[in-house]
């Protein structure tokens, strides 16, 4: 049986420290529940002494979540530990995560202290935390730049004081994978009592090596990895949960696995991105828009012949329905034929040759071709006929009243009106549009971004709409955010082929 790697998710603590990513308690509970469903072992729910909001979130997440351990962060300060202990009262399994900086930088410039005093403070903090919970994790902040011999001394003392988990953070993302791996091995081989505690990795991504360092730590004996969804976190971020989980799943020979239900990865990635206002970069490993998209003809042909020719992960394993074949001027015949078949068109060789020629001409003019372009190309629909346009939108919304939206759509020259209520102005407007178009569509993702920083900003809205197992992307930009939302929704609707 594979060795177990514990997944410690810190999206709600280290991830939430990012400016602009702050969540309210309700949103944090939503994410905590999704993390529970994902199968993480530990949820770091906040830094309770830092604000009443953080304290309250730890309390409420402790109540809302059943299986994962709930962890609260502290400095090696009694007041912090008192507050963390109090915040964890309702946790079925609670952990206090306390610690102190151990690198020369931190000892000299942050604490203006010395090595002996730091060891003493570390030990005292762990003993004090044990009064509140049995499960105490110690972090040696900036362990990445801490001398290994001194680090081993600190770790030995905190384990003797009762630490159940010892966290070795590469706080500044400085280490090289080999160096970080050796650090973990050094602790495994030189710390008395190391088998009484679990060694944890906590890597930052300043040099783009957070996942590589985490894997190096695991290969050298760490059995807990501290990670965030989409790799969000301070500066360049933390190690991505999805990358560690899928690296271990893809390399079965390592014989180490997590309890993560990987099919939930994509949905939680989008949920975190939407709630935290942090778009996922298109080329992000595992969860980026392009992670399973193939655009060159050679790759498309290869994937269509046998998926594993160009994919090491089945997209379904991370909750993505299918790989996507992006049609561009570089796409080959196989890709076009496949797409047309998916859309329900079937042509003999001669007819197809003609369509392919026209496709290449069109593809030269357009960056990438959507299903509606193909439908037009094969003469099945006229672009004009299929187009839905927003003619009119009026919103009534405010404090203490139910939001109402009236819309008028122009669909292929015919006009349709509808009015609907909703639990907010966007919800009301989208419901009104849905009542006209009468198609079964699901709003899968909704992301609002401001283009600049003032109140006269143009708001950009990105939307993903699900229809019959496929996702359609829509975009809208307007100084009025409700109009931008409705336009993004309609943009996505216009991409659903008329035949479907
Ligand atoms: O990066 C770090 O060192 C941390 C600790 C507080 C665990 O986030
Ligand atoms: Zn960190």
């Amino acid at each position: 049986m594979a060795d177990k790697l514990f997944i410690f998710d810190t999206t709600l603590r280290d991830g939430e420290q990012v400016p602009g990513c702050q969540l309210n308690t309700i949103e944090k509970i939503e994410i905590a529940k999704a993390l529970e469903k994902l199968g993480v072992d530990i949820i770091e729910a906040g830094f309770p002494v830092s604000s009443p909001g953080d304290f309250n979130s730890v309390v409420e997440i402790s109540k809302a979540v059943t299986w994962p351990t709930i962890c609260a962060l502290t400095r090696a300060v009694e007041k912090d530990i008192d507050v963390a202990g109090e915040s964890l009262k309702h946790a079925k399994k609670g952990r206090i995560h306390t610690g102190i900086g151990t690198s020369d930088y931190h000892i000299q410039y942050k604490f203006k202290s010395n090595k002996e005093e730091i060891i003493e403070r570390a030990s005292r903090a762990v003993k004090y935390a044990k009064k509140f919970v049995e499960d105490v994790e110690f972090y040696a902040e900036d362990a990445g730049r801490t001398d290994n011999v001194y680090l081993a001394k600190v770790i030995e003392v905190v384990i003797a004081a009762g630490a159940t988990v010892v966290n070795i953070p590469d706080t500044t993302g400085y280490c090289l994978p080999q160096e970080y791996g050796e650090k973990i091995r050094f602790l495994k081989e030189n710390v008395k009592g190391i088998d009484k505690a679990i060694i944890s990795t906590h890597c930052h991504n300043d040099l783009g090596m957070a996942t590589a360092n985490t894997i190096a730590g695991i290969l050298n004996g760490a059995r807990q990895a501290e990670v965030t969804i989409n790799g969000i976190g301070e500066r360049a971020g933390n190690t991505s949960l999805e990358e560690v989980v899928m690296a271990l799943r893809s390399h079965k020979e390592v014989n180490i696995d997590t309890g993560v239900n990987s099919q939930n990865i994509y949905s939680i990635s989008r949920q975190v991105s939407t709630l935290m206002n942090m778009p996922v970069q298109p080329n992000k490993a595992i969860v980026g828009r392009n992670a399973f998209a193939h655009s060159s003809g050679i790759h498309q042909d290869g994937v269509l012949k046998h998926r594993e020719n160009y994919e090491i992960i089945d997209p379904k394993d991370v909750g993505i329905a299918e790989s996507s074949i992006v049609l561009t001027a570089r796409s080959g015949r196989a890709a076009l034929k496949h797409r047309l078949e998916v859309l329900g068109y079937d042509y003999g060789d001669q007819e197809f040759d003609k369509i392919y020629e026209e496709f290449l001409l069109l593809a030269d003019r357009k960056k990438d071709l959507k299903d509606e372009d193909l439908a037009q190309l094969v003469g099945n629909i006229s672009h004009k006929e299929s187009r839905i346009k927003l003619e009119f939108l009026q919103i009534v919304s405010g404090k203490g009243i139910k939001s109402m939206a009236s819309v008028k759509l122009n669909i292929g020259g015919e006009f349709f009106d509808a009015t609907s209520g909703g639990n907010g102005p966007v919800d009301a407007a989208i419901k009104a549009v849905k009542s006209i178009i009468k198609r079964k569509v699901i709003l899968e993702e909704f992301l609002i971004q401001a283009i600049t920083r003032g109140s006269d900003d143009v708001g950009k809205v990105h939307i993903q709409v699900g229809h019959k197992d496929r996702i359609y992307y829509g975009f809208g930009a307007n100084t009025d955010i409700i109009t931008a939302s409705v336009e993004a929704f309609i943009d996505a609707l216009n991409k659903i082929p008329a035949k479907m």
Side-chain angles (χ1 to χ4, degrees), residues 86-120:
E86 178 66 25
S87 73
L88 289 170
K89 270 197 171 148
H90 298 278
K92 286 99 199 157
K93 290 179 273 175
R95 177 185 293 181
I96 291 178
H97 189 191
T98 190
I100 196 161
T102 53
S103 66
D104 288 346
Y105 292 101
H106 283 221
I107 296 174
Q108 231 178 302
Y109 304 116
K110 187 170 155 184
F111 299 111
K112 301 190 179 13
S113 181
N114 59 62
K115 289 186 167 173
E116 288 65 41
E117 194 184 86
I118 292 293
I119 291 186
E120 174 52 34

Side-chain angles (χ1 to χ4, degrees), residues 107-268:
I107 296 174
Q108 231 178 302
Y109 304 116
K110 187 170 155 184
F111 299 111
K112 301 190 179 13
S113 181
N114 59 62
K115 289 186 167 173
E116 288 65 41
E117 194 184 86
I118 292 293
I119 291 186
E120 174 52 34
R121 284 170 71 173
S123 169
R124 238 185 301 134
V126 171
K127 285 184 188 148
Y128 193 71
K130 286 295 251 195
K131 294 187 179 159
F132 298 90
V133 284
E134 177 44 38
D135 191 4
V136 174
E137 173 168 339
F138 173 81
Y139 63 86
E141 195 179 10
D142 206 13
R145 293 187 300 173
T146 300
D147 160 62
N148 286 350
V149 175
Y150 176 64
L151 183 62
K153 262 194 214 153
V154 178
I155 297 302
E156 197 163 301
V157 169
V158 297
I159 291 175
T164 45
V165 182
V166 287
N167 178 15
I168 312 301
D170 184 20
T171 306
T172 56
Y174 170 75
C175 287
L176 296 174
Q178 188 184 349
E179 191 182 0
Y180 190 74
E182 276 167 9
K183 195 174 276 291
I184 302 297
R185 179 164 293 270
F186 185 86
L187 298 176
K188 268 242 102 35
E189 290 174 353
N190 292 285
V191 171
K192 203 149 54 113
I194 193 72
D195 293 335
K196 289 196 206 128
I198 293 172
I199 302 180
S200 183
T201 62
H202 179 114
C203 300
H204 281 266
N205 205 29
D206 299 66
L207 293 173
M209 284 189 276
T211 299
N213 286 345
T214 298
I215 297 290
I218 295 166
L219 294 179
N220 283 283
R223 285 297 175 268
Q224 176 179 287
E226 306 200 357
V227 292
T228 60
I229 302 292
N230 300 334
I232 62 164
E234 289 269 349
R235 308 181 308 279
N238 288 57
T239 306
S240 302
L241 176 145
E242 59 277 9
E243 292 175 12
V244 173
V245 168
M246 294 317 290
L248 295 177
R249 292 267 152 96
S250 304
H251 285 270
K252 297 253 180 319
E253 74 282 4
V254 168
N255 210 26
I256 302 172
D257 202 3
T258 66
V260 166
N261 305 309
S262 65
Q263 290 92 341
N264 294 331
I265 283 179
Y266 188 72
S267 61
I268 195 168

Side-chain angles (χ1 to χ4, degrees), residues 333 336-337 340-341 344-357 378:
R333 302 168 61 88
L336 178 63
K337 201 168 183 57
L340 289 174
E341 275 166 17
Y345 305 117
D346 199 5
Y347 294 97
D349 286 351
Q350 265 189 344
E351 231 177 333
F352 178 75
D353 286 349
K354 253 187 84 209
I355 291 171
Y356 185 62
E357 267 172 41
V378 299

